[in-house]
Amino acid sequence: MPDPQQPLLRVRHLKKYFPIRRGVLSRVAAHVKAVDDVSFDINRGETFGLVGESGCGKTTAGRAILRLIEPEAGEISFDGVDLLKLDASGLRKKRRDMQIIFQDPYASLNPRMTIRSIVGEPFAIHGLASGSERDDKVAELLKTVGLDPTVRNRYPHEFSGGQRQRIGIARALALRPKLIVADEPVSALDVSIQAQIINLLADLQQQFGLTYLFISHGIPVIEHISTRIGVMYLGKLVEVGTSRQICTSPRHPYTQALLSAVPIPDPAAKKQRIILKGDVPTPINPPTGCRFHTRCPIAVERCKTEEPPLRTLSDDRLAACHLAE
């Protein structure tokens, strides 16, 4: 039996590389190091936010954890079970406890299926309900996410983006999972709709005791919903701490730059913006030493040659920076 005192999800040294093939024989010439040695824990009932700029590897990490794409190396322990050691049958059973909400509410729903079929599909796949029982469960799920159950016979194109995302959430909730990976679930929505979806996810967490891995590039969204936050840069975690620690007193220079770019809704307020120079290096051939040193405003010679470990600081947060204290 899993220990309730242990983290629900434990990720250690996760790696995911994508091969680059060239030539007539399509030989592997290099690899895109999308996720490179990432480790973190997610406790039961909490929301762990994963934030970073586009291309940092946060979505790849989320999908690799669910084995929607297969990682190269690492350990993924979910509820006391090593997911990487499960065969196809074992993984299929474990998927009842792990679900995902996709970023694009337009592409994530099959346009040829009715809402009844989309939300009811998890029950059909796992053989848990059929006929009128499945219809009743679909109606209950739609009501739970704030939709009228009478829309069951409509198709996805008849709904707005926010309504489609609610349908996606209903599908993710169908099997009463323990963990939901929310992959930028509000980035494609209007700001007013974003707030509704975020509040819905928070309410569902309280109602069903859910645990979230919430992936986003929006600091305000992450700050609002997350218990703890991990900041990614170029395939690696550079800082991990509580939401308050990360958003009020960041220690890593990259986190400080991210927060300085968040606009303040007060025209009279003055804020010192940290402007990062240069472009993000390629994950095909990342810089030696600290991967952020090519853009870091406080980098020293040591940063160019020695890779900083993700170490514990004085306030119990983690940071991968030689100069952080």
Coordinates of all heavy atoms in Angstrom, one line a residue, residues 11-104:
V11 N 9.7 12.5 -9.2 CA 10.4 12.5 -10.4 C 11.9 12.7 -10.1 O 12.3 13.6 -9.4 CB 9.9 13.6 -11.4 CG1 10.7 13.6 -12.7 CG2 8.4 13.4 -11.7
R12 N 12.7 11.8 -10.7 CA 14.1 11.8 -10.4 C 14.9 11.7 -11.8 O 14.7 10.7 -12.5 CB 14.6 10.7 -9.5 CG 14.1 10.9 -8.0 CD 14.8 12.1 -7.4 NE 14.3 12.3 -6.0 CZ 13.3 13.1 -5.7 NH1 12.6 13.7 -6.6 NH2 12.9 13.2 -4.4
H13 N 15.8 12.7 -12.0 CA 16.7 12.7 -13.2 C 16.0 12.4 -14.5 O 16.5 11.6 -15.3 CB 17.8 11.7 -12.9 CG 18.5 11.8 -11.6 ND1 19.2 13.0 -11.2 CD2 18.5 11.0 -10.4 CE1 19.7 12.8 -10.0 NE2 19.2 11.7 -9.5
L14 N 14.9 13.0 -14.7 CA 14.1 12.8 -15.9 C 14.8 13.4 -17.1 O 15.2 14.5 -17.1 CB 12.7 13.3 -15.8 CG 11.7 13.1 -16.9 CD1 11.4 11.6 -17.1 CD2 10.4 13.9 -16.7
K15 N 14.9 12.6 -18.2 CA 15.5 13.1 -19.4 C 14.6 12.7 -20.6 O 14.1 11.6 -20.7 CB 16.9 12.5 -19.6 CG 17.9 12.9 -18.6 CD 19.3 12.4 -18.9 CE 20.3 12.9 -17.9 NZ 21.7 12.4 -18.2
K16 N 14.5 13.6 -21.6 CA 13.8 13.4 -22.8 C 14.6 14.1 -23.9 O 14.6 15.3 -24.0 CB 12.4 13.8 -22.8 CG 11.6 13.6 -24.1 CD 11.7 12.1 -24.6 CE 11.1 12.0 -26.0 NZ 11.2 10.6 -26.4
Y17 N 15.2 13.3 -24.8 CA 15.9 13.9 -26.0 C 15.2 13.5 -27.3 O 14.7 12.4 -27.4 CB 17.3 13.3 -26.1 CG 18.2 13.7 -24.9 CD1 19.5 13.1 -24.7 CD2 17.8 14.6 -23.9 CE1 20.3 13.4 -23.7 CE2 18.7 14.9 -22.9 CZ 19.9 14.3 -22.7 OH 20.7 14.6 -21.7
F18 N 15.1 14.4 -28.2 CA 14.5 14.2 -29.5 C 15.6 14.1 -30.5 O 16.4 15.1 -30.7 CB 13.5 15.2 -29.9 CG 12.3 15.3 -29.0 CD1 12.2 16.2 -27.9 CD2 11.2 14.4 -29.2 CE1 11.1 16.2 -27.1 CE2 10.1 14.4 -28.4 CZ 10.0 15.3 -27.3
P19 N 15.7 13.0 -31.3 CA 16.8 12.9 -32.3 C 16.5 13.8 -33.5 O 15.4 14.1 -33.9 CB 16.7 11.4 -32.7 CG 15.3 11.0 -32.5 CD 14.8 11.8 -31.3
I20 N 17.6 14.3 -34.0 CA 17.6 15.1 -35.3 C 18.3 14.2 -36.4 O 19.5 13.9 -36.2 CB 18.4 16.4 -35.1 CG1 17.7 17.3 -34.1 CG2 18.5 17.2 -36.5 CD1 18.5 18.6 -33.8
R21 N 17.5 13.9 -37.4 CA 18.0 13.0 -38.4 C 18.4 13.8 -39.7 O 17.6 14.6 -40.1 CB 17.0 11.9 -38.7 CG 16.7 11.0 -37.5 CD 15.7 9.9 -37.8 NE 15.4 9.2 -36.6 CZ 16.1 8.2 -36.1 NH1 17.2 7.8 -36.8 NH2 15.7 7.5 -35.0
R22 N 19.5 13.4 -40.3 CA 19.9 14.1 -41.5 C 20.4 13.1 -42.5 O 20.8 11.9 -42.2 CB 21.0 15.1 -41.2 CG 20.6 16.2 -40.3 CD 21.6 17.4 -40.3 NE 21.2 18.5 -39.5 CZ 21.8 18.9 -38.4 NH1 22.9 18.3 -38.0 NH2 21.3 19.9 -37.7
G23 N 20.4 13.5 -43.8 CA 21.0 12.7 -44.8 C 20.0 11.7 -45.4 O 18.8 11.5 -44.9
V24 N 20.4 11.0 -46.5 CA 19.6 10.0 -47.2 C 19.2 8.9 -46.3 O 18.1 8.4 -46.3 CB 20.3 9.5 -48.4 CG1 19.4 8.5 -49.1 CG2 20.6 10.7 -49.4
L25 N 20.1 8.5 -45.4 CA 19.8 7.3 -44.5 C 19.2 7.7 -43.2 O 19.0 6.9 -42.3 CB 21.2 6.6 -44.2 CG 21.9 6.0 -45.5 CD1 23.2 5.4 -45.0 CD2 21.0 5.0 -46.2
S26 N 18.9 9.0 -43.0 CA 18.2 9.5 -41.8 C 19.0 9.1 -40.6 O 18.4 8.7 -39.6 CB 16.8 9.0 -41.8 OG 16.0 9.5 -42.8
R27 N 20.3 9.3 -40.6 CA 21.1 9.0 -39.4 C 20.9 10.1 -38.4 O 20.7 11.3 -38.7 CB 22.5 8.8 -39.8 CG 22.8 7.6 -40.6 CD 24.2 7.5 -41.1 NE 24.5 6.3 -41.8 CZ 25.6 6.0 -42.5 NH1 26.5 6.9 -42.6 NH2 25.7 4.9 -43.1
V28 N 21.0 9.7 -37.1 CA 20.9 10.7 -36.0 C 22.2 11.5 -36.0 O 23.3 11.0 -35.7 CB 20.7 9.9 -34.7 CG1 20.7 11.0 -33.5 CG2 19.4 9.1 -34.7
A29 N 22.0 12.8 -36.2 CA 23.1 13.7 -36.2 C 23.3 14.5 -34.9 O 24.4 14.9 -34.6 CB 23.0 14.8 -37.3
A30 N 22.2 14.6 -34.2 CA 22.3 15.4 -32.9 C 21.0 15.1 -32.1 O 20.1 14.4 -32.6 CB 22.5 16.9 -33.1
H31 N 20.9 15.7 -31.0 CA 19.6 15.5 -30.2 C 19.2 16.9 -29.6 O 20.0 17.7 -29.2 CB 19.9 14.5 -29.0 CG 20.0 13.1 -29.4 ND1 21.2 12.5 -29.7 CD2 19.0 12.1 -29.5 CE1 21.0 11.3 -30.0 NE2 19.7 11.0 -29.9
V32 N 17.9 17.1 -29.6 CA 17.3 18.2 -28.9 C 17.1 17.8 -27.4 O 16.3 16.9 -27.1 CB 16.0 18.7 -29.5 CG1 15.4 19.8 -28.7 CG2 16.2 19.1 -30.9
K33 N 17.8 18.4 -26.5 CA 17.8 18.0 -25.1 C 16.6 18.8 -24.4 O 16.8 19.8 -23.7 CB 19.1 18.3 -24.4 CG 20.2 17.5 -25.0 CD 21.6 17.8 -24.4 CE 22.7 17.0 -25.0 NZ 24.0 17.2 -24.4
A34 N 15.4 18.3 -24.7 CA 14.2 19.1 -24.3 C 14.1 19.1 -22.7 O 13.7 20.1 -22.1 CB 12.9 18.5 -24.9
V35 N 14.3 17.9 -22.1 CA 14.3 17.8 -20.7 C 15.5 17.1 -20.3 O 15.8 16.0 -20.7 CB 13.0 17.0 -20.2 CG1 13.1 16.8 -18.7 CG2 11.7 17.7 -20.6
D36 N 16.3 17.7 -19.4 CA 17.7 17.2 -19.2 C 18.0 17.2 -17.7 O 18.4 18.1 -17.1 CB 18.7 18.1 -19.9 CG 20.1 17.4 -20.0 OD1 20.2 16.2 -19.7 OD2 21.0 18.1 -20.4
D37 N 17.7 16.0 -17.1 CA 18.0 15.8 -15.6 C 17.1 16.7 -14.7 O 17.6 17.5 -14.0 CB 19.5 16.0 -15.4 CG 19.9 15.4 -14.1 OD1 19.1 14.6 -13.5 OD2 21.0 15.7 -13.6
V38 N 15.8 16.4 -14.8 CA 14.9 17.2 -13.9 C 14.3 16.3 -12.8 O 14.0 15.2 -13.0 CB 13.7 17.7 -14.8 CG1 12.5 18.2 -13.9 CG2 14.1 18.8 -15.8
S39 N 14.3 16.9 -11.6 CA 13.9 16.1 -10.4 C 13.0 17.0 -9.6 O 13.3 18.2 -9.3 CB 15.0 15.6 -9.6 OG 15.9 14.8 -10.3
F40 N 11.8 16.5 -9.1 CA 10.9 17.2 -8.2 C 9.9 16.3 -7.6 O 9.7 15.2 -8.1 CB 10.2 18.4 -8.9 CG 9.4 18.0 -10.1 CD1 8.1 17.7 -9.9 CD2 9.9 18.1 -11.3 CE1 7.2 17.4 -11.0 CE2 9.1 17.7 -12.4 CZ 7.8 17.4 -12.2
D41 N 9.3 16.7 -6.5 CA 8.2 15.9 -5.9 C 6.9 16.8 -6.0 O 6.9 18.0 -6.0 CB 8.5 15.6 -4.4 CG 9.7 14.7 -4.3 OD1 10.0 14.0 -5.3 OD2 10.3 14.7 -3.2
I42 N 5.8 16.1 -6.0 CA 4.5 16.7 -5.9 C 3.7 16.0 -4.7 O 3.5 14.8 -4.8 CB 3.6 16.6 -7.2 CG1 4.4 17.3 -8.3 CG2 2.3 17.4 -7.0 CD1 3.7 17.3 -9.6
N43 N 3.4 16.7 -3.7 CA 2.7 16.1 -2.6 C 1.2 16.0 -2.9 O 0.6 16.6 -3.7 CB 2.8 17.0 -1.3 CG 4.3 17.1 -0.9 OD1 5.0 16.2 -0.9 ND2 4.7 18.4 -0.6
R44 N 0.5 15.1 -2.1 CA -0.9 14.8 -2.3 C -1.7 16.1 -2.0 O -1.5 16.7 -1.0 CB -1.3 13.7 -1.4 CG -0.6 12.4 -1.7 CD -0.9 11.3 -0.7 NE 0.0 10.2 -0.9 CZ -0.2 9.1 -1.7 NH1 -1.3 9.1 -2.4 NH2 0.7 8.2 -1.9
G45 N -2.6 16.4 -2.9 CA -3.5 17.5 -2.7 C -3.0 18.9 -3.0 O -3.7 19.9 -2.9
E46 N -1.7 19.0 -3.5 CA -1.2 20.3 -3.8 C -1.2 20.6 -5.3 O -1.4 19.7 -6.1 CB 0.2 20.4 -3.2 CG 1.3 19.8 -4.0 CD 2.7 20.2 -3.6 OE1 2.9 21.2 -2.9 OE2 3.7 19.6 -4.1
T47 N -0.9 21.8 -5.6 CA -0.7 22.2 -7.0 C 0.7 22.6 -7.2 O 1.2 23.6 -6.6 CB -1.7 23.4 -7.4 OG1 -3.0 22.9 -7.2 CG2 -1.4 23.8 -8.8
F48 N 1.4 21.9 -8.0 CA 2.8 22.2 -8.3 C 2.9 22.9 -9.7 O 2.5 22.3 -10.7 CB 3.7 21.0 -8.4 CG 5.2 21.2 -8.6 CD1 6.0 21.5 -7.5 CD2 5.7 21.2 -9.8 CE1 7.3 21.8 -7.7 CE2 7.1 21.4 -10.0 CZ 7.9 21.7 -8.9
G49 N 3.2 24.2 -9.7 CA 3.3 24.9 -10.9 C 4.6 24.8 -11.6 O 5.7 24.9 -10.9
L50 N 4.6 24.6 -12.9 CA 5.9 24.5 -13.7 C 5.8 25.7 -14.7 O 4.9 25.7 -15.5 CB 5.9 23.2 -14.4 CG 7.3 22.6 -14.8 CD1 8.3 22.6 -13.7 CD2 7.2 21.3 -15.5
V51 N 6.8 26.6 -14.6 CA 6.7 27.8 -15.3 C 8.1 28.0 -16.1 O 9.1 27.6 -15.6 CB 6.4 29.0 -14.4 CG1 7.5 29.3 -13.5 CG2 6.0 30.3 -15.3
G52 N 8.0 28.7 -17.2 CA 9.2 29.1 -17.9 C 8.8 29.5 -19.3 O 7.6 29.4 -19.7
E53 N 9.7 30.1 -20.0 CA 9.4 30.6 -21.4 C 9.2 29.5 -22.4 O 9.5 28.4 -22.1 CB 10.4 31.6 -21.8 CG 11.8 31.1 -21.9 CD 12.9 32.2 -22.0 OE1 12.6 33.2 -22.6 OE2 14.0 32.0 -21.5
S54 N 8.6 29.8 -23.5 CA 8.3 28.8 -24.5 C 9.6 28.1 -24.9 O 10.6 28.7 -25.2 CB 7.6 29.4 -25.7 OG 6.4 30.0 -25.4
G55 N 9.5 26.7 -25.0 CA 10.6 26.0 -25.4 C 11.5 25.5 -24.3 O 12.6 24.8 -24.6
C56 N 11.2 25.8 -23.0 CA 12.0 25.4 -21.9 C 11.9 23.9 -21.6 O 12.7 23.4 -20.8 CB 11.7 26.3 -20.7 SG 10.1 25.9 -19.9
G57 N 10.8 23.2 -22.1 CA 10.7 21.8 -21.8 C 9.6 21.4 -20.8 O 9.5 20.3 -20.5
K58 N 8.8 22.4 -20.4 CA 7.8 22.1 -19.3 C 6.7 21.2 -19.8 O 6.3 20.3 -19.1 CB 7.3 23.4 -18.8 CG 6.7 24.4 -19.8 CD 6.4 25.7 -19.1 CE 5.7 26.7 -20.1 NZ 6.6 27.0 -21.2
T59 N 6.2 21.4 -21.0 CA 5.2 20.5 -21.6 C 5.7 19.1 -21.9 O 5.1 18.1 -21.6 CB 4.6 21.1 -22.9 OG1 3.9 22.3 -22.6 CG2 3.7 20.2 -23.6
T60 N 6.9 19.1 -22.4 CA 7.6 17.8 -22.6 C 7.7 17.0 -21.3 O 7.5 15.8 -21.3 CB 9.0 17.9 -23.3 OG1 8.8 18.7 -24.5 CG2 9.6 16.6 -23.6
A61 N 8.1 17.7 -20.2 CA 8.2 17.0 -18.9 C 6.9 16.5 -18.5 O 6.8 15.3 -18.0 CB 8.8 18.0 -17.9
G62 N 5.8 17.2 -18.6 CA 4.5 16.8 -18.2 C 4.0 15.5 -19.0 O 3.5 14.6 -18.4
R63 N 4.3 15.5 -20.3 CA 3.9 14.4 -21.1 C 4.8 13.2 -20.9 O 4.3 12.0 -21.0 CB 3.9 14.8 -22.6 CG 2.9 15.9 -22.9 CD 2.7 16.1 -24.4 NE 1.6 17.1 -24.6 CZ 0.9 17.2 -25.7 NH1 1.1 16.4 -26.7 NH2 0.0 18.2 -25.8
A64 N 6.0 13.4 -20.6 CA 6.9 12.3 -20.3 C 6.5 11.6 -19.0 O 6.6 10.4 -18.8 CB 8.4 12.8 -20.2
I65 N 6.1 12.4 -18.0 CA 5.7 11.9 -16.7 C 4.5 10.9 -16.9 O 4.4 9.9 -16.3 CB 5.3 13.0 -15.7 CG1 6.6 13.7 -15.3 CG2 4.5 12.5 -14.5 CD1 6.4 15.0 -14.5
L66 N 3.6 11.3 -17.8 CA 2.4 10.4 -18.1 C 2.7 9.3 -19.1 O 1.8 8.5 -19.4 CB 1.2 11.3 -18.6 CG 0.7 12.3 -17.7 CD1 -0.5 13.0 -18.3 CD2 0.2 11.7 -16.3
R67 N 3.9 9.3 -19.6 CA 4.4 8.4 -20.6 C 3.5 8.5 -21.9 O 3.3 7.5 -22.6 CB 4.4 6.9 -20.1 CG 5.5 6.6 -19.1 CD 5.6 5.2 -18.8 NE 5.8 4.3 -19.9 CZ 5.9 3.0 -19.9 NH1 5.8 2.4 -18.7 NH2 6.1 2.3 -21.0
L68 N 3.1 9.7 -22.2 CA 2.5 10.0 -23.5 C 3.6 10.0 -24.5 O 3.4 9.8 -25.7 CB 1.7 11.3 -23.5 CG 0.5 11.3 -22.5 CD1 -0.2 12.6 -22.6 CD2 -0.5 10.2 -22.9
I69 N 4.8 10.4 -24.0 CA 6.0 10.2 -24.8 C 7.0 9.5 -23.9 O 7.0 9.7 -22.6 CB 6.6 11.6 -25.3 CG1 6.8 12.6 -24.1 CG2 5.8 12.2 -26.4 CD1 7.5 13.9 -24.5
E70 N 7.8 8.7 -24.4 CA 8.7 7.9 -23.6 C 10.0 8.6 -23.2 O 10.7 9.0 -24.2 CB 9.0 6.5 -24.2 CG 7.8 5.6 -24.4 CD 7.3 5.1 -23.0 OE1 8.1 5.1 -22.1 OE2 6.1 4.7 -22.9
P71 N 10.3 8.7 -22.0 CA 11.6 9.4 -21.6 C 12.8 8.5 -21.9 O 12.7 7.3 -22.0 CB 11.4 9.7 -20.1 CG 10.5 8.6 -19.6 CD 9.5 8.4 -20.8
E72 N 14.0 9.2 -22.0 CA 15.2 8.4 -22.2 C 15.7 7.8 -20.9 O 16.3 6.7 -21.0 CB 16.3 9.4 -22.7 CG 16.6 9.3 -24.2 CD 15.3 9.7 -25.0 OE1 14.7 10.7 -24.8 OE2 15.0 8.9 -25.9
A73 N 15.6 8.5 -19.8 CA 16.1 8.0 -18.6 C 15.4 8.7 -17.4 O 14.6 9.6 -17.6 CB 17.6 8.3 -18.5
G74 N 15.6 8.2 -16.2 CA 15.0 8.7 -15.1 C 14.1 7.8 -14.3 O 14.0 6.6 -14.7
E75 N 13.5 8.3 -13.3 CA 12.6 7.5 -12.4 C 11.3 8.3 -12.2 O 11.4 9.5 -11.8 CB 13.2 7.2 -11.1 CG 12.3 6.4 -10.1 CD 13.0 6.2 -8.8 OE1 14.2 6.3 -8.7 OE2 12.2 6.0 -7.8
I76 N 10.2 7.7 -12.4 CA 8.9 8.3 -12.2 C 8.1 7.5 -11.3 O 7.6 6.4 -11.7 CB 8.1 8.6 -13.5 CG1 9.0 9.4 -14.5 CG2 6.8 9.3 -13.3 CD1 8.4 9.4 -15.9
S77 N 8.0 7.8 -10.0 CA 7.3 7.1 -9.0 C 5.9 7.7 -8.7 O 5.9 8.9 -8.2 CB 8.1 6.9 -7.7 OG 7.4 6.2 -6.7
F78 N 4.9 7.0 -9.1 CA 3.5 7.6 -8.9 C 2.7 6.7 -7.9 O 2.5 5.5 -8.2 CB 2.8 7.7 -10.2 CG 1.3 8.1 -10.1 CD1 1.0 9.4 -9.7 CD2 0.3 7.2 -10.2 CE1 -0.3 9.8 -9.6 CE2 -1.0 7.6 -10.0 CZ -1.3 8.9 -9.7
D79 N 2.4 7.3 -6.8 CA 1.6 6.5 -5.7 C 2.3 5.2 -5.4 O 1.7 4.2 -5.2 CB 0.2 6.2 -6.3 CG -0.8 6.1 -5.2 OD1 -0.5 6.6 -4.1 OD2 -1.9 5.6 -5.4
G80 N 3.7 5.3 -5.3 CA 4.5 4.2 -4.9 C 4.8 3.2 -6.0 O 5.5 2.2 -5.7
V81 N 4.4 3.5 -7.2 CA 4.7 2.6 -8.4 C 5.6 3.3 -9.4 O 5.4 4.4 -9.7 CB 3.4 2.2 -9.1 CG1 3.6 1.3 -10.3 CG2 2.4 1.5 -8.1
D82 N 6.7 2.6 -9.8 CA 7.6 3.1 -10.8 C 6.9 2.9 -12.2 O 6.8 1.8 -12.7 CB 8.9 2.3 -10.8 CG 10.0 3.0 -11.7 OD1 9.6 3.8 -12.5 OD2 11.1 2.6 -11.5
L83 N 6.5 4.0 -12.8 CA 5.7 4.0 -14.0 C 6.6 3.5 -15.2 O 6.0 2.9 -16.1 CB 5.2 5.4 -14.4 CG 4.2 6.0 -13.4 CD1 3.8 7.4 -13.9 CD2 3.0 5.1 -13.2
L84 N 7.9 3.7 -15.1 CA 8.7 3.2 -16.2 C 8.9 1.7 -16.3 O 9.5 1.2 -17.2 CB 10.1 4.0 -16.2 CG 10.0 5.5 -16.3 CD1 11.4 6.1 -16.3 CD2 9.3 5.9 -17.6
K85 N 8.5 1.0 -15.2 CA 8.7 -0.4 -15.2 C 7.4 -1.1 -15.5 O 7.3 -2.4 -15.6 CB 9.1 -0.9 -13.8 CG 10.6 -0.4 -13.5 CD 11.0 -0.9 -12.1 CE 12.4 -0.5 -11.8 NZ 12.9 -0.9 -10.4
L86 N 6.3 -0.4 -15.8 CA 5.0 -1.0 -16.1 C 5.0 -1.4 -17.6 O 5.4 -0.6 -18.4 CB 3.9 0.0 -15.8 CG 3.6 0.4 -14.3 CD1 2.5 1.4 -14.2 CD2 3.3 -0.8 -13.5
D87 N 4.4 -2.5 -17.8 CA 4.1 -2.9 -19.2 C 2.8 -2.2 -19.7 O 2.2 -1.4 -19.0 CB 4.0 -4.4 -19.3 CG 2.9 -5.0 -18.5 OD1 2.0 -4.3 -18.0 OD2 2.9 -6.3 -18.3
A88 N 2.4 -2.5 -20.9 CA 1.3 -1.8 -21.5 C 0.0 -2.0 -20.7 O -0.8 -1.1 -20.5 CB 1.1 -2.2 -23.0
S89 N -0.2 -3.2 -20.2 CA -1.4 -3.5 -19.5 C -1.4 -2.8 -18.1 O -2.4 -2.2 -17.7 CB -1.5 -5.1 -19.3 OG -2.6 -5.4 -18.5
G90 N -0.3 -2.8 -17.5 CA -0.2 -2.2 -16.2 C -0.3 -0.7 -16.3 O -0.9 0.0 -15.4
L91 N 0.3 -0.1 -17.3 CA 0.2 1.3 -17.5 C -1.3 1.7 -17.8 O -1.7 2.8 -17.4 CB 1.1 1.8 -18.7 CG 1.2 3.3 -19.0 CD1 1.7 4.0 -17.8 CD2 2.1 3.5 -20.2
R92 N -2.0 0.9 -18.6 CA -3.3 1.2 -19.0 C -4.2 1.3 -17.7 O -5.0 2.2 -17.6 CB -3.9 0.1 -19.9 CG -5.3 0.3 -20.4 CD -5.8 -0.9 -21.1 NE -7.1 -0.7 -21.7 CZ -7.3 -0.4 -22.9 NH1 -6.3 -0.2 -23.7 NH2 -8.6 -0.3 -23.4
K93 N -4.0 0.4 -16.8 CA -4.8 0.4 -15.5 C -4.4 1.6 -14.7 O -5.3 2.3 -14.0 CB -4.5 -0.9 -14.7 CG -5.0 -2.1 -15.3 CD -4.7 -3.3 -14.5 CE -5.2 -4.6 -15.2 NZ -4.8 -5.8 -14.4
K94 N -3.1 2.0 -14.7 CA -2.6 3.1 -13.9 C -3.1 4.5 -14.4 O -3.2 5.5 -13.7 CB -1.1 3.1 -13.8 CG -0.6 3.8 -12.5 CD -1.0 3.0 -11.3 CE -0.5 3.7 -10.0 NZ -1.1 3.1 -8.8
R95 N -3.4 4.5 -15.7 CA -3.9 5.7 -16.3 C -5.2 6.2 -15.8 O -5.6 7.4 -15.9 CB -4.0 5.6 -17.9 CG -2.7 5.5 -18.6 CD -2.8 5.8 -20.0 NE -1.6 5.5 -20.8 CZ -0.6 6.3 -20.9 NH1 -0.6 7.4 -20.2 NH2 0.5 5.9 -21.6
R96 N -6.0 5.3 -15.1 CA -7.2 5.8 -14.5 C -6.9 6.9 -13.4 O -7.8 7.7 -13.2 CB -7.9 4.6 -13.8 CG -8.3 3.5 -14.7 CD -9.0 2.4 -14.0 NE -9.2 1.2 -14.8 CZ -9.8 0.1 -14.4 NH1 -10.2 0.0 -13.1 NH2 -10.0 -0.9 -15.2
D97 N -5.7 6.8 -12.8 CA -5.4 7.7 -11.8 C -4.6 8.9 -12.3 O -4.3 9.8 -11.5 CB -4.5 7.0 -10.7 CG -5.3 5.9 -10.0 OD1 -6.5 6.1 -9.8 OD2 -4.7 4.9 -9.6
M98 N -4.3 9.0 -13.6 CA -3.5 10.1 -14.1 C -4.2 10.6 -15.4 O -4.4 9.8 -16.3 CB -2.1 9.6 -14.5 CG -1.3 8.9 -13.4 SD 0.3 8.4 -13.9 CE -0.1 7.3 -15.3
Q99 N -4.5 11.8 -15.4 CA -5.2 12.4 -16.6 C -4.5 13.7 -17.0 O -3.7 14.3 -16.3 CB -6.7 12.6 -16.4 CG -7.4 11.3 -16.1 CD -7.5 10.4 -17.4 OE1 -7.8 10.9 -18.5 NE2 -7.2 9.1 -17.2
I100 N -4.9 14.2 -18.2 CA -4.3 15.4 -18.7 C -5.4 16.3 -19.3 O -6.4 15.9 -19.9 CB -3.2 15.1 -19.8 CG1 -2.5 16.4 -20.2 CG2 -3.8 14.4 -20.9 CD1 -1.3 16.2 -21.1
I101 N -5.2 17.6 -19.1 CA -6.0 18.7 -19.7 C -5.1 19.4 -20.7 O -4.1 19.9 -20.3 CB -6.6 19.7 -18.7 CG1 -7.4 19.0 -17.7 CG2 -7.4 20.8 -19.4 CD1 -7.8 19.9 -16.5
F102 N -5.5 19.3 -22.0 CA -4.6 19.8 -23.0 C -4.7 21.3 -23.2 O -5.7 21.9 -22.8 CB -4.9 19.1 -24.4 CG -4.5 17.7 -24.4 CD1 -5.5 16.7 -24.2 CD2 -3.2 17.2 -24.6 CE1 -5.2 15.4 -24.2 CE2 -2.9 15.9 -24.6 CZ -3.9 15.0 -24.4
Q103 N -3.7 21.9 -23.8 CA -3.7 23.4 -24.0 C -4.7 23.9 -24.9 O -5.4 24.9 -24.6 CB -2.3 23.8 -24.5 CG -2.1 25.3 -24.8 CD -0.7 25.6 -25.3 OE1 0.1 24.7 -25.4 NE2 -0.5 26.9 -25.7
D104 N -4.9 23.3 -26.1 CA -5.8 23.8 -27.1 C -7.1 23.1 -27.0 O -7.3 22.0 -27.4 CB -5.1 23.5 -28.5 CG -5.9 24.2 -29.6 OD1 -7.0 24.7 -29.4 OD2 -5.3 24.2 -30.7

